[in-house]
Amino acid sequence: MKMVRLTEKSRKDITAQLLKRSPDSYEGYEERVREILQNVRQNRDKAVFEYTKKFDQVDLDSQTIRVSREEIQEAYNAVDPELLGVIRRSYANIRSYHEKQRRTSWFDSTPEGTLLGQKVTPLGTVGVYVPGGSAALCSSVLMNIVPAKVTGVERIVMATPPAKDGRVPATSLVAACEAGADEIYKVGGAQAIAALAYGTESIPKVDKIVGPGNIYVALAKKAVYGTVGIDSIAGPSEILVLADESANAHYVAADLLSQAEHDQMASAILITTSEDLAKKVQDEIEGYLKSLSRAEIIRKSLEQYGFILLADTMEDAIETANQIASEHLEIVTQNPFEVMMKIKNAGAIFIGEHSSEPLGDYFAGPNHVLPTNGTAKFFSPLSVDDFVKKSSIIYYSRNALRKAKDDIIAFADAETLTAHANSIRVRFENEAE
């Protein structure tokens, strides 16, 4: 990791370096993604099957693209009972947390004859994308499906790429069934996003697509936004640890590496007021790398996007953390709750030395689908709000409208929208002035 003295210039340079990881910087991939989307939109199942053969080396047809009940049963048989218990306990925590986020419709009436309100309605069909690759992220299955289920979404459709043997990882299937997926399809990449957005003979069109993925998935979600809703454009994972001299270097180093192992574009940053801690963390990282299974990925990640920033004051450190707006933020200081109150921008905040980031990834309950690349300044974690839509309710009696009509007409006339004014005026044209 690069050790840098925190200044205004170094803060701007590092922020610019991190933003290079944004999907907005992937122009070279956009044309290829557009081709895939257009092909699937026009040729539907045929295009999906061709791309699955090309990218995943799996032959599928309309009979095999959907995961069968037999495959699900085989998955349950394959998953260790102890792991199944872990998945169920994690599911219970995630469900309990998201149930507290539920919103209800509300209505407010007055004696004057008005009723205003908001009607909250679950989405009809949601598509959940689950990435494949080198790690089967069954935790992402739970995090994306559970809030949709809690909200009452009618139909939850999961898409995930098959392995070369044509199967979906058993843990992903089990997690999906435990969480409440209604249908599971063996398709990945931009072609999966296209199928969910436009529909094919085998895969239903959905109202919204959620879930992380690679560059192709991120750009495909961006391209279909408007045809369907999306949660966000996810970038590479990131962690920022805010620490002072009281922090345990052994723990801090371990937590930084927990995100750096995701991929070579992941970011791991330590901001500290203690140069002694900074040096100890560097030593600890080297020690860990001798035994970690994804050490090569971690090294490349740290070379490009790993920083230790030395701050003169905790106020400078906090200001920088708010500017970076990290996906995951750990606070390991003498007064972590006091520091937490000064944090404005972060996807998830972990407080104290025993609240390490993987706690949120797997088990605590809050969602681990979080804003990245500085978007925590204006985006929030995935929640039940992502799976409902809200309708405004307006009712006025004749007497209530009579009291408001002159104001409405005046407003419409001021905007020279005479048909608007007329819509109100005609309701009282037979009344004496």
Side-chain angles (χ1 to χ4, degrees), residues 10 23 53 111 125 137 157 171 186 192 267 277 295 371 375 390 401-402 417-418:
S10 64
K53 174 65 174 177
T125 304
L137 304 179
V157 179
T171 52
K186 306 171 191 174
S267 167
L277 175 71
T375 60
K390 307 174 185 76
L401 182 61
R402 182 183 291 108
L417 297 176
T418 55

Side-chain angles (χ1 to χ4, degrees), residues 23 26 29-30 33 214-224 233:
Y26 300 157
Y29 297 88
E30 289 180 342
V33 168
N214 61 16
I215 293 171
Y216 291 95
V217 169
L219 291 177
K221 286 173 66 178
K222 183 178 179 181
V224 301
I233 309 295

Side-chain angles (χ1 to χ4, degrees), residues 337-412:
F337 286 94
E338 180 181 327
V339 172
M340 181 269 292
M341 295 301 295
K342 298 177 182 178
I343 295 298
K344 299 177 181 178
N345 305 319
I349 302 172
F350 300 78
I351 301 172
E353 69 176 14
H354 298 300
S355 303
S356 66
E357 188 279 336
L359 174 65
D361 269 354
Y362 296 119
F363 201 74
N367 209 287
H368 80 197
V369 180
L370 304 167
T372 59
N373 287 110
T375 60
K377 292 177 182 176
F378 48 85
F379 275 140
S380 303
L382 191 73
S383 73
V384 299
D385 288 341
D386 289 286
F387 300 99
V388 299
K389 53 191 177 68
K390 307 174 185 76
S391 301
S392 300
I393 302 297
I394 302 168
Y395 165 80
Y396 266 51
S397 68
R398 182 176 182 81
N399 286 337
L401 182 61
R402 182 183 291 108
K403 291 180 180 179
K405 69 180 177 65
D406 291 340
D407 287 343
I408 301 168
I409 292 169
F411 227 135

Side-chain angles (χ1 to χ4, degrees), residues 138-212:
C138 60
S139 58
S140 288
V141 176
L142 297 176
M143 292 292 181
N144 282 278
I145 295 177
V146 170
K149 198 70 177 179
V150 165
T151 304
V153 171
E154 296 173 16
R155 188 181 191 185
I156 300 173
V157 179
M158 186 174 110
T160 188
K164 290 183 179 180
D165 63 359
R167 295 180 176 274
V168 173
T171 52
S172 294
L173 286 184
V174 167
C177 291
E178 292 292 318
D182 296 297
E183 302 164 30
I184 304 170
Y185 294 91
K186 306 171 191 174
V187 56
Q191 61 271 24
I193 302 304
L196 292 170
Y198 306 129
T200 74
E201 294 91 340
S202 298
I203 301 174
K205 182 187 185 306
V206 302
D207 299 315
K208 187 169 187 174
I209 300 172
V210 301

